[in-house]
């Protein structure tokens, strides 16, 4: 099939590459000329394991191409997929202006009697119908638009794997022919398909993210209580997760969820519920717990140093999670904002996300490409992203390299007993803290 994808971000590009790989003819369109030019040269603008190789392979096969000219991409494809951003507006609701622009471009350039327009972007219930309306109200000849809600569930850092091995594909449509065509599109993947009406498909995406966010905030709250009652969250998570009704995934206590999806999607769902006069108390609490979690880490650190003024600090990890260069809504940004406001001198380390971080943080921090260099002579270290490089970095090295070895671990990368044996100060999430004999608590 001939597919046009609008947006070459994490979702659009990965989907485009994967659909080309399974034999479709894909053209990806983006308004960002620079991105498109890099893609034309076979360079991925995002870090995602495995993407570079499949990108080039499918370009060479002539199954994958890129364009920044919308007059050429929307005229006669079999399927158009919308994968543009739907960021958060100030009131928490989803900003649909990029989706709207795609609809308007489609209406301007579409040149077929029938078109299937698929929304992969995460959009509030009711948006797909608006997309149809936006296209139809401006199109100047008779064309039948079939809309399909096909929400995306990939995770950054394993996006290609997830696309090829997803748990399910959701197809929300009210037209049987369009739904069948979507099934054909994905059939080489052999992933279970669930057919629903359009509104249910839209809701499945928000409900999934809200549920996962709830699991994270739940375990973080349990962790915070564990610290006070002397329980160990690692054992508690294991004990809970072995119950198959609960499952062990998303039960790792930490500094909270971030990224471009959970924070905005939870807020958008609260907003969506509010629009129909339903106060979503549970999800509001989930969001509040998450907003508070990075602040607890800072509070722990203040127990040791009093104030951050002129304190030399290292923050390990800037990406919102390992294996991605995405720093959107990363907990690191929250920690950094407070540290900088309070006058700390901050070194940062991240193996992949420094280029993106520079765009936001400029020269307010000092960037390092090795953990050794970042922590050297510092007084306190915050572990924010559980990169493999961090988890494998020997705890002993903090003792050797830091001025005062105080490690505040927001991802439970080390064993408490190892820190105790080394006589260093180590505080993590939901576990006992240990204090080096020589550290004076203010
Ligand atoms: N990133 C994820 O892990 C993920 C997972 C599932 C769902 N989603 C959802 O998918 C959507 C896209 O997310 P993303 O992370 O890929 O976004 P992104 O910000 O990485 O990419 C969006 C791209 O769309 C382009 N764009 C904007 N307006 C355009 C237009 N009119 N025509 C063509 N291109 C345009 C931008 O230039 C950008 O390259 C969002 O709704 C998001 O919530 C994201």
């Amino acid at each position: 099939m001939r597919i046009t994808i609008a947006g070459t971000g994490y979702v659009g590009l990965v989907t485009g590459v994967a659909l080309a790989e399974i034999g479709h003819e894909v053209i990806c369109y983006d308004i960002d000329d620079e991105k498109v030019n890099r893609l034309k040269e076979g360079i991925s603008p995002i870090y995602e394991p495995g993407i570079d190789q499949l990108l080039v392979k499918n370009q060479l096969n002539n199954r994958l191409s890129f364009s920044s000219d919308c007059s050429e991409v929307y005229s006669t494809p079999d399927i158009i997929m919308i994968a543009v951003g739907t960021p958060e507006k100030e009131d928490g609701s989803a900003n649909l202006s990029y989706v709207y622009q795609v609809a308007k471009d489609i209406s301007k350039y579409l040149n077929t009697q029938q078109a299937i327009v698929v929304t992969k972007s995460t959009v509030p219930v009711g948006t797909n119908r608006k997309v149809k309306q936006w296209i139809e109200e401006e199109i100047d000849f008779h064309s039948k638009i079939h809309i399909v809600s096909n929400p995306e569930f990939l995770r950054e850092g394993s996006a290609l794997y997830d696309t090829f091995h997803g748990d399910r594909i959701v197809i929300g449509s009210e037209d049987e022919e369009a739904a069948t065509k979507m099934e054909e599109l994905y059939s080489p993947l052999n992933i279970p398909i669930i057919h629903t009406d359009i509104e249910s498909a839209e809701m499945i995406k928000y409900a999934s993210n809200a549920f996962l966010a709830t699991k994270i905030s739940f375990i973080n709250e349990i962790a915070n209580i564990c610290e006070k009652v002397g329980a160990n969250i690692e054992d508690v998570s294991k004990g809970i997760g072995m119950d198959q009704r609960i499952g062990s995934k998303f039960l790792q206590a930490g500094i909270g969820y971030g990224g471009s999806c959970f924070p905005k999607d939870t807020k958008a769902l609260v907003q969506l519920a509010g629009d129909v006069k339903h106060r979503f108390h549970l999800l509001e609490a989930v969001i509040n717990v998450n907003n508070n979690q990075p602040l607890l880490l800072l509070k722990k650190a203040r127990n040791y140093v009093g104030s951050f003024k002129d304190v030399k600090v290292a923050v390990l990890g800037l990406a919102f999670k390992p294996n991605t260069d995405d720093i959107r809504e990363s907990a690191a940004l929250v920690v950094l904002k407070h540290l900088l406001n309070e006058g700390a001198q901050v070194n940062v380390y991240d193996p992949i996300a420094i280029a993106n971080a520079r765009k936001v943080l400029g020269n307010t921090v000092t960037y390092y490409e090795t953990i050794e260099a970042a922590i050297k002579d510092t007084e306190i270290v915050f572990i924010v992203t559980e990169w493999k490089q961090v988890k494998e970095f020997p705890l002993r090295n903090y003792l050797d390299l830091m001025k005062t070895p105080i490690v505040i671990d927001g991802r439970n990368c080390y064993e408490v007993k190892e820190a105790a044996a080394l006589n260093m100060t180590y505080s993590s999430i939901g576990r006992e803290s240990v204090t080096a004999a020589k550290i004076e608590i203010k």
Side-chain angles (χ1 to χ4, degrees):
M1 283 184 216
R2 288 176 318 120
I3 318 294
T4 289
I5 299 182
T8 60
Y10 292 87
V11 170
L13 180 60
V14 170
T15 305
V17 167
L19 290 178
E21 178 68 12
I22 59 172
H24 300 294
E25 195 184 309
V26 181
I27 179 153
C28 294
Y29 162 69
D30 205 293
I31 50 170
D32 185 335
D33 286 324
E34 204 188 308
K35 250 187 198 180
V36 170
N37 288 337
R38 289 185 70 189
L39 283 162
K40 281 180 176 170
E41 286 169 24
I43 303 166
S44 168
I46 56 165
Y47 172 83
E48 196 57 58
I51 194 109
D52 300 293
Q53 193 199 349
L54 287 193
L55 170 68
V56 173
K57 176 182 163 197
N58 285 289
Q59 279 175 307
L60 292 174
N61 283 343
N62 291 324
R63 287 205 297 257
L64 181 62
S65 59
F66 296 92
S67 170
S68 55
D69 176 3
C70 66
S71 69
E72 65 177 25
V73 299
Y74 291 134
S75 60
T76 58
D78 295 314
I79 291 176
I80 298 171
M81 290 184 149
I82 304 176
V84 296
T86 47
E88 176 187 331
K89 287 204 287 197
E90 227 162 75
D91 65 359
S93 64
N95 176 354
L96 297 177
S97 61
Y98 303 100
V99 175
Y100 176 80
Q101 188 54 50
V102 176
K104 290 296 157 194
D105 291 340
I106 294 173
S107 68
K108 199 163 168 196
Y109 296 111
L110 188 71
N111 195 14
T112 52
Q113 297 299 308
Q114 286 215 46
I116 298 175
V117 178
V118 178
T119 307
K120 285 198 92 55
S121 300
T122 304
V123 292
V125 178
T127 306
N128 274 271
R129 288 192 195 279
K130 281 191 196 154
V131 169
K132 181 176 165 74
Q133 191 192 324
W134 291 333
I135 299 172
E136 285 179 342
E137 68 195 4
E138 267 185 43
I139 208 154
D140 52 7
F141 68 97
H142 181 73
S143 178
K144 208 163 169 31
I145 306 296
H146 301 296
I147 42 160
V148 176
S149 169
N150 172 216
E152 181 52 62
F153 300 99
L154 63 77
R155 297 161 300 172
E156 286 175 25
S158 54
L160 268 175
Y161 178 88
D162 291 347
T163 307
F164 290 118
H165 304 94
D167 294 328
R168 77 306 206 186
I169 289 169
V170 174
I171 296 175
S173 165
E174 54 189 15
D175 180 78
E176 223 171 279
E177 226 179 284
T180 308
K181 196 111 182 166
M182 289 298 291
E183 255 198 79
E184 279 171 34
L185 173 79
Y186 287 124
S187 64
L189 294 175
N190 278 320
I191 293 173
I193 289 179
I194 153 165
H195 288 279
T196 69
D197 58 63
I198 293 164
E199 286 71 19
S200 303
E202 291 170 327
M203 185 54 108
I204 286 170
K205 175 62 193 175
Y206 277 107
S208 300
N209 276 0
F211 186 78
L212 294 171
T214 303
K215 254 186 132 176
I216 294 173
S217 280
F218 177 83
I219 203 65
N220 284 340
E221 276 288 72
I222 295 288
N224 297 337
I225 301 166
C226 279
E227 282 176 27
K228 295 191 168 156
V229 298
N232 182 320
I233 192 63
E234 302 296 321
D235 293 337
V236 173
S237 289
K238 196 170 171 198
I240 304 173
M242 283 171 79
D243 184 328
Q244 289 187 18
R245 294 169 302 175
I246 297 172
S248 59
K249 293 190 176 145
F250 282 76
L251 282 185
Q252 284 71 45
I255 191 173
Y257 59 77
S260 68
C261 292
F262 286 7
K264 82 170 170 61
D265 293 349
T266 45
K267 283 187 225 162
L269 185 51
V270 166
Q271 190 70 28
L272 184 83
D275 289 348
V276 290
K277 306 270 175 297
H278 183 100
R279 181 126 187 227
F280 202 156
H281 295 281
L282 175 63
L283 199 53
E284 283 178 20
V286 166
I287 294 167
N288 287 337
V289 168
N290 196 62
N291 289 342
N292 204 38
Q293 201 64 9
L295 307 184
L296 295 180
L297 212 68
L298 291 157
K299 196 171 159 203
K300 283 179 188 188
R302 281 193 206 93
N303 285 337
Y304 300 111
V305 294
S307 141
F308 294 119
K309 181 135 183 47
D310 297 326
V311 173
K312 283 195 82 179
V313 177
V315 171
L316 304 185
L318 297 166
F320 83 93
K321 65 174 185 179
N323 292 327
T324 181
D325 60 350
D326 197 346
I327 61 158
R328 290 178 283 184
E329 301 287 327
S330 160
L333 295 182
V334 179
V335 170
L336 284 168
K337 185 177 134 208
H338 284 270
L339 290 173
L340 293 171
N341 280 347
E342 293 175 37
Q345 297 168 35
V346 187
N347 295 345
V348 296
Y349 160 81
D350 193 286
I352 302 286
I354 283 182
N356 281 342
R358 264 187 216 279
K359 292 180 205 157
V360 178
L361 298 167
N363 56 9
T364 56
V365 297
T366 311
Y367 302 90
Y368 288 97
E369 285 181 6
T370 67
I371 301 174
E372 284 89 344
I375 67 172
K376 183 138 180 31
D377 296 331
T378 55
E379 290 153 273
I380 191 156
V381 165
F382 288 90
I383 297 176
V384 177
T385 317
E386 67 278 35
W387 281 103
K388 186 169 172 277
Q389 290 87 333
V390 176
K391 289 203 291 191
E392 289 176 356
F393 187 74
L395 200 52
R396 157 108 240 158
N397 292 2
Y398 294 92
L399 205 59
D400 295 343
L401 291 166
M402 292 174 69
K403 189 171 163 205
T404 49
I406 304 175
V407 175
I408 310 291
D409 182 355
R411 300 292 182 188
N412 291 359
C413 291
Y414 297 101
E415 293 293 334
V416 177
K417 55 177 187 279
E418 195 190 342
L422 287 168
N423 186 29
M424 58 190 286
T425 296
Y426 177 76
S427 188
S428 52
I429 307 283
R431 306 186 296 179
E432 177 198 359
S433 292
V434 291
T435 308
K438 62 183 176 217
I439 302 276
E440 187 193 322
I441 300 182
K442 294 192 182 169

